[in-house]
Amino acid sequence: MNDGDGGAVPAAPRKRADARRNERTLLDAAAAVFVTSGVEAPVRDIAARAGVGLATIYRHFPTRADLIIAVYRHQVEACAEAGPALLASGATPHAALGRWINLFVDFLVTKHGLAAVLQSDSAGFDTLHAYFLDRLVPVCAQLLDAAAVAGEIRSDIDAYELMRGVGNLCIGADSDPRYDARRLVELLIAGLRLPH
Amino acid sequence: MNDGDGGAVPAAPRKRADARRNERTLLDAAAAVFVTSGVEAPVRDIAARAGVGLATIYRHFPTRADLIIAVYRHQVEACAEAGPALLASGATPHAALGRWINLFVDFLVTKHGLAAVLQSDSAGFDTLHAYFLDRLVPVCAQLLDAAAVAGEIRSDIDAYELMRGVGNLCIGADSDPRYDARRLVELLIAGLRLPH
DNA sequence: TACGATAAGGAACGTTGTTCCGTTTGGCAA
DNA sequence: TTGCCAAACGGAACAACGTTCCTTATCGTA
């Protein structure tokens, strides 16, 4: 829990100015390209957009997944933090759960292809997988527990499974007007309800 | 609507013996490789397994999708035909729907990666998409209608959307013991129920 | 200003799906 | 039986991608 130098992390020896500038540029370029071409856009496109060499991307972000994480970190954090807030907001736990899931679905659905990549088991997206799960599953578990304790939902489903299911339902939700992930997720959450 | 020779389709001029033999061999090889390496196995693996050149695959199956369709056609047909049978079997329409969906889920879940490929919007899988939808959506619609008419389920969801949702839920169901697609699909179907 | 560590750039590699082309062969007619 | 040629074959070749490598340029400092 401590690196042995008595303070916080050893304060990475501070990168060079051009390096910091490029990281910034890359994040912006990636975000822009993700919006127009989706999360699976070729690395070369991002490099070109940033006016930067290929290796530069990989030096800053060891794998595509790390780049994706960096681009969306803020929003994922916000989603994670919204969980306890919703729970404390006075609504019933089941209502809080529903709203939180909606937040998550809105996030996923607006990110071209992110849901698809999120479940891809092709090694290399492991860190992406891990990040999302580590950050969001505990939040979901908390909401789920609260609702179960309140006797509002069945308790034979765990947060991991639910998150994966919701993520899966979001796949391809953009780019297909006939498919509305939100409605299906609602159905799924409705299916959780215990007949009182 | 007629080719002018007065009969059914012009009876494709009958392929050469080696061609027919190879098609057979390819289907077997593909089926075997799909089982061990999943539906996304490299074309080269299938060619090698069949002891055949690469072009031979593409000559018989213009695209990967066509090969996949050919391999699973029998099972898809069986599933499609099971729909009306279940409906006529005496159970309630909702029960028939549930059982039919289970059939479909069982099929998908046991085919390494098929569910994933089924929703992939990368052009080239269009024909695969089309085949599954053309064949199964009408069957699903029939079951859905029957259940709606019987007043067992809400009627604000259409067959296409449901099939896509179920397909999505099946993604990654193999290769992850913590994820049980069947349970989630059950939840989804349960969510369809109308409070009576 | 000169030097060395840090970072950049793009060519190069490995893996895929797909196409092309020179070669082989099955089936039929003489 | 023999000879022909369209049909079919095999694998090299191409294009797109992620990733790595090696050479060159640059930043920060003494």
Side-chain angles (χ1 to χ4, degrees):
Chain A
M1 210 36 167
N2 194 313
D3 287 276
D5 78 355
V9 274
R14 173 120 157 286
K15 289 198 282 202
R16 249 165 58 172
D18 54 346
R20 258 173 303 147
R21 184 163 11 97
N22 271 332
E23 183 165 330
R24 236 322 180 359
T25 310
L26 272 173
L27 280 176
D28 291 347
V33 171
F34 287 171
V35 166
T36 60
S37 313
V39 171
E40 312 216 63
V43 184
R44 282 168 175 80
D45 289 1
I46 300 170
R49 170 74 172 237
V52 134
L54 272 173
T56 301
I57 291 197
Y58 285 95
R59 200 167 307 107
H60 287 286
F61 308 98
T63 142
R64 280 178 70 74
D66 296 303
L67 178 55
I68 298 176
I69 293 176
V71 168
Y72 294 125
R73 170 161 274 139
H74 283 46
Q75 291 182 62
V76 173
E77 293 300 320
C79 184
E81 281 159 20
L86 281 169
L87 204 49
S89 75
T92 71
H94 180 269
L97 173 65
R99 283 189 213 143
W100 186 74
I101 293 282
N102 277 343
L103 246 44
F104 181 55
V105 171
D106 283 342
F107 167 66
L108 274 191
V109 160
T110 54
K111 308 293 174 288
H112 237 78
L114 180 56
V117 121
L118 208 51
Q119 63 74 38
S120 150
D121 56 356
S122 76
F125 288 112
D126 296 343
T127 68
L128 184 65
H129 239 85
Y131 172 64
F132 270 81
L133 295 180
D134 286 359
R135 202 64 191 84
L136 298 179
V137 165
V139 177
C140 182
Q142 192 185 346
L143 288 157
L144 222 41
D145 272 1
V149 166
E152 295 179 310
I153 63 168
R154 28 198 294 191
S155 49
D156 63 343
I157 191 151
D158 72 339
Y160 172 78
E161 199 161 40
L162 181 60
M163 290 297 287
R164 285 230 27 201
V166 171
N168 274 359
L169 283 178
C170 290
I171 294 176
D174 49 334
S175 82
D176 186 348
R178 288 191 293 163
Y179 182 73
D180 181 355
R182 279 170 253 253
R183 181 157 45 202
L184 286 168
V185 170
E186 248 170 56
L187 241 50
L188 192 66
I189 302 298
L192 274 176
R193 282 210 105 107
L194 227 39
H196 56 271
Chain B
M1 216 23 166
N2 193 310
D3 285 277
D5 77 356
V9 275
R14 175 124 155 282
K15 289 198 281 199
R16 251 166 57 171
D18 53 347
R20 258 173 302 146
R21 185 166 8 98
N22 270 331
E23 183 165 332
R24 241 306 170 20
T25 309
L26 272 173
L27 281 175
D28 292 347
V33 171
F34 286 171
V35 166
T36 60
S37 312
V39 170
E40 312 217 63
V43 184
R44 282 166 175 81
D45 289 1
I46 301 170
R49 170 73 172 238
V52 135
L54 272 174
T56 302
I57 291 198
Y58 285 94
R59 202 167 303 109
H60 287 287
F61 308 99
T63 143
R64 282 179 68 74
D66 296 303
L67 178 55
I68 298 177
I69 293 175
V71 167
Y72 295 125
R73 170 160 272 140
H74 283 48
Q75 292 182 61
V76 174
E77 292 300 319
C79 184
E81 282 159 20
L86 281 169
L87 205 48
S89 75
T92 72
H94 181 269
L97 173 65
R99 282 190 211 141
W100 185 74
I101 293 283
N102 277 342
L103 244 44
F104 181 54
V105 171
D106 283 342
F107 167 66
L108 275 191
V109 160
T110 55
K111 308 294 173 287
H112 237 80
L114 179 56
V117 122
L118 208 51
Q119 63 72 39
S120 150
D121 56 356
S122 76
F125 287 113
D126 296 342
T127 69
L128 184 65
H129 239 83
Y131 172 64
F132 270 81
L133 294 180
D134 286 358
R135 201 64 191 85
L136 298 179
V137 165
V139 177
C140 183
Q142 193 184 346
L143 287 156
L144 223 40
D145 272 0
V149 165
E152 295 178 312
I153 63 169
R154 31 200 290 193
S155 48
D156 63 343
I157 191 152
D158 73 339
Y160 171 78
E161 198 161 41
L162 181 59
M163 290 297 287
R164 285 230 28 203
V166 171
N168 274 0
L169 283 177
C170 290
I171 294 176
D174 50 334
S175 81
D176 186 347
R178 288 191 293 163
Y179 182 74
D180 182 354
R182 278 172 254 254
R183 181 158 43 203
L184 286 169
V185 170
E186 249 170 57
L187 240 49
L188 192 66
I189 302 298
L192 274 177
R193 282 210 106 109
L194 228 40
H196 54 272

